[in-house]
Amino acid sequence: IERQYGGLEAGVMGYVMAVRELGQGCGATTVAMMVTNMVAEAIAKYGNDAQRQEFLPPLRNGDWPAYGFSLSEPGSGSDAASLKTYAQRTDGGYILNGVKSWVTSGGYCGVYLVMAATDPDMKARGISAFLVTPDTPGFAVTKPEEKLGLRGSATTQLVFEDCFIPTSRRLGDEGIGFTI
């Protein structure tokens, strides 16, 4: 039954209530849950059938504790369109190089949604989204940041050095990463 609460569907209102209740008890858990949910929603909305089959059941089944979102970088935290992480097209995929910062749950994720420039001249319209798993050669997670709060949620950098990402791991079309 779809009911409306203040213009929100019942499922959205339930999520908002869960976030509010969790936040009163543990902000770190709440942040990790919200980021994981955001990535899962992006996969559900923009992913193809194969990506949904590969990446959504492990979260639902509890096989993967979290998903990571990777947009910010050391030099472009508030200006996301000027990111420097670059995905160069190659035969069958992309070669990903760069660094991402302030990644919630870094080191605990089954998959990371990574934004990278595929056409830097296009700024925001030249950003594409990629699904990167922790076993990808050339991918590394750094030591967690020392934080003043939310210590129950690891925050790390992600480092990409000549990571081959197959085209099948690009989320959505090339150039719509900023929209995602």
Side-chain angles (χ1 to χ4, degrees), residues 28 34-35 57 75 88 101 110 162 172:
M34 291 175 67
V35 170
Q88 181 178 356
S101 295
D162 295 328

Side-chain angles (χ1 to χ4, degrees), residues 19 21 30 52 56 60 65 67 71 75 81 93 96 101 103 111 115-116 122 126 137 142 159 174-175 178-179:
V19 165
E21 289 298 313
T30 307
R52 286 191 213 80
L56 296 179
R60 182 182 59 238
Y67 288 177
L71 173 65
L96 191 60
S101 295
V103 178
V111 67
M115 302 299 170
M122 294 291 292
T142 66
V159 179
E174 189 172 297
F178 205 76
T179 300

Side-chain angles (χ1 to χ4, degrees), residues 5-174:
Y5 293 98
L8 298 175
E9 290 184 25
V12 173
M13 189 61 174
Y15 178 72
V16 169
M17 291 169 63
V19 165
R20 182 177 177 194
E21 289 298 313
L22 278 171
Q24 290 179 20
C26 181
T29 299
T30 307
V31 167
M33 179 193 77
M34 291 175 67
V35 170
T36 294
N37 187 64
M38 177 179 65
V39 173
E41 284 182 3
I43 294 169
K45 183 173 181 177
Y46 293 97
N48 58 38
D49 289 337
Q51 290 168 335
R52 286 191 213 80
Q53 272 302 109
E54 181 176 359
F55 296 111
L56 296 179
L59 178 65
R60 182 182 59 238
N61 300 337
D63 298 331
W64 290 345
Y67 288 177
F69 179 73
S70 314
L71 173 65
S72 296
E73 296 181 356
S76 65
S78 60
D79 182 12
S82 69
L83 56 83
K84 300 294 182 219
T85 298
Y86 184 66
Q88 181 178 356
R89 276 183 238 126
T90 188
D91 189 33
Y94 298 82
I95 302 295
L96 191 60
N97 283 289
V99 176
K100 294 296 182 179
S101 295
W102 309 292
V103 178
T104 299
S105 301
Y108 297 97
C109 299
V111 67
Y112 296 88
L113 176 55
V114 178
M115 302 299 170
T118 45
D119 187 347
D121 295 334
M122 294 291 292
K123 293 287 188 185
R125 288 187 296 254
I127 295 173
S128 299
F130 299 92
L131 299 168
V132 180
T133 55
D135 60 350
T136 303
F139 170 74
V141 178
T142 66
K143 173 180 118 177
E145 300 280 342
E146 291 291 328
K147 302 188 296 186
L148 295 175
L150 299 178
R151 291 176 181 247
S153 169
T155 302
T156 66
Q157 284 191 328
L158 306 181
V159 179
F160 305 92
E161 293 181 354
D162 295 328
C163 293
F164 176 75
I165 310 298
T167 304
S168 63
R169 294 275 175 97
R170 188 187 66 222
L171 186 64
D173 293 332
E174 189 172 297

